[in-house]
Amino acid sequence: MIQRADNPWYEVRLTEGRQNQIRMMFKHFGRLVEKLRRVRIGFLELGALRPGQVRHLTPAEVTRFRKLLKMEEA
């Protein structure tokens, strides 16, 4: 738990997630998930991007994603 309060904050790390997986996991323990915030996708930190905002990937990020995809194909 990150923050104790009436509405506590939790940090959850998944290596591969499915649709609504976090909500279902918390429901199993009798907890309601009101909000989710994605902070990272793989190695890519989202930083200050707001919902709906986009940014271009750097050439280094594109190269890294391509390497990851090649590893998955093997």
Side-chain angles (χ1 to χ4, degrees):
M1 182 179 318
I2 293 178
Q3 179 181 347
R4 291 187 184 274
D6 289 338
N7 296 312
W9 286 59
Y10 295 90
E11 179 176 341
V12 178
R13 295 178 186 211
L14 298 175
T15 54
E16 181 178 332
R18 301 285 183 225
Q19 185 173 0
N20 294 314
Q21 181 174 353
I22 293 174
R23 292 183 192 279
M24 289 187 291
M25 289 167 42
F26 275 77
K27 185 178 180 180
H28 178 77
F29 293 106
R31 300 284 185 206
L32 174 66
V33 175
E34 294 181 13
K35 295 180 185 177
L36 288 173
R37 185 175 69 135
R38 181 187 303 263
V39 296
R40 193 166 98 177
I41 300 172
F43 66 86
L44 188 64
E45 295 281 340
L46 300 180
L49 281 179
R50 308 278 303 153
Q53 282 187 313
V54 297
R55 72 164 179 83
H56 294 282
L57 297 174
T58 66
E61 291 168 338
V62 172
T63 300
R64 193 162 176 193
F65 271 121
R66 285 189 174 142
K67 285 180 183 177
L68 288 172
L69 290 172
K70 284 181 183 178
M71 289 173 49
E72 288 181 7
E73 291 175 357

